[in-house]
Amino acid sequence: MATGALRRRAVTLMTGTVLAAVASTAGPAAGVASQGPSATSADGIRPPPVDCRTTPCVALTFDDGPTGYTPAVVRALERQHAVATFFLIGPHALRHRADVLREYRDGDAIGDHTVTHPHLTRLPPDRIRRELGTAARQIASVTGHRPTICRPPFGAWNAKVRAAAAGAGLSVVMWNVDPRDWKHHDPRLIERRVLAGVRPGAVVVLHDRYATTPPAVPYLLRALKARGYAPVTVPQLFATSGGMRSGVVYHHGP
């Protein structure tokens, strides 16, 4: 999907390989992506720290929120003492401030998913910068912290998107497990499709905008833990490889 000459660096993560497509103008290492300082869930129990070098880790990510379905996802995470990563649409964050703050205080990572959810690769550079920059400011107005990670809608990225992300201090996060919950509105099928594709170091893309996704989350968390996986945030997943850098695309694959 990306075009132009890229400099690639391979980072070994657990049993998989994380390929980071690095723009030549990549910025400094990004910090933890808008996580609450206490990382304490609403029931007062802090999820234990996880070392993904010795424990199989998986990052569950949720796009397009917050929506009316987001609280059910957050409750499921809290009950399992688990964390995830939420990529928020800026205006949605403004409309659902309480949900965003709950995610933040639970220790979930908060990422940027633009303002209007467009195909960024079809836009001119100034519009890409506005989509990412405005959403980042909207999210920061709720949490008090600018996000340091983003996910381009539809997974569409190119050199223009990387450059805009670098300018906004954002790492670009893709995925390698997609149960297509936007198409398959069956909670148990969503769970089975995730479990069929998950590997140590996996990044799973889900959406908290569909009614059938939240019911899948409790089953999925229990099944992952039964298999020895620890659910972590995206920044936690990549922490053992030196952290995340702005203008870098993080994904898995050959």
Side-chain angles (χ1 to χ4, degrees):
M1 188 177 295
T3 59
L6 303 179
R7 176 166 56 89
R8 294 184 178 272
R9 62 183 175 88
V11 180
T12 301
L13 177 65
M14 299 301 296
T15 60
T17 299
V18 179
L19 298 183
V22 186
S24 60
T25 56
V32 174
S34 295
Q35 289 183 262
S38 63
T40 303
S41 65
D43 61 8
I45 299 175
R46 180 173 179 171
V50 177
D51 186 346
C52 294
R53 292 170 298 185
T54 58
T55 301
C57 291
V58 57
L60 300 181
T61 68
F62 296 87
D63 291 3
D64 299 351
T67 71
Y69 302 119
T70 300
V73 174
V74 175
R75 283 195 300 271
L77 291 166
E78 290 170 349
R79 288 168 180 162
Q80 294 290 326
H81 304 148
V83 289
T85 301
F86 293 86
F87 290 98
L88 311 185
I89 294 176
H92 292 189
L94 297 179
R95 288 197 295 271
H96 299 272
R97 289 174 177 268
D99 295 326
V100 177
L101 286 172
R102 187 174 178 180
E103 293 167 356
Y104 176 78
R105 291 165 181 164
D106 282 356
D108 298 315
I110 308 295
D112 185 327
H113 201 46
T114 74
V115 175
T116 65
H117 202 271
H119 282 84
L120 293 178
T121 55
R122 301 175 183 174
L123 302 180
D126 61 335
R127 174 75 187 282
I128 300 173
R129 289 192 294 270
R130 286 200 300 272
E131 285 283 344
L132 293 174
T134 300
R137 290 190 294 273
Q138 291 170 330
I139 293 167
S141 74
V142 180
T143 65
H145 297 270
R146 284 180 65 93
T148 58
I149 56 176
C150 71
R151 173 166 287 157
F154 311 104
W157 61 273
N158 58 13
K160 294 185 299 180
V161 175
R162 292 199 315 275
L170 297 166
S171 305
V172 181
V173 179
M174 301 301 291
W175 61 83
N176 73 333
V177 178
D178 181 4
R180 298 191 175 188
D181 60 337
W182 50 268
K183 179 179 180 181
H184 303 292
H185 300 290
D186 178 340
R188 299 312 294 266
L189 178 59
I190 293 168
E191 176 198 357
R192 290 196 299 271
R193 289 177 67 90
V194 170
L195 294 176
V198 75
R199 299 290 185 275
V203 179
V204 181
V205 60
L206 295 159
H207 301 79
D208 49 336
R209 64 176 295 181
Y210 302 111
T212 47
T213 296
V217 176
Y219 296 112
L220 185 55
L221 288 171
R222 286 195 291 268
L224 287 170
K225 289 187 175 183
R227 294 185 178 197
Y229 286 98
V232 297
T233 67
V234 166
Q236 289 172 333
L237 186 67
F238 289 98
T240 57
S241 59
M244 304 183 73
R245 298 178 64 86
S246 59
V248 177
V249 178
Y250 290 85
H251 62 101
H252 296 241

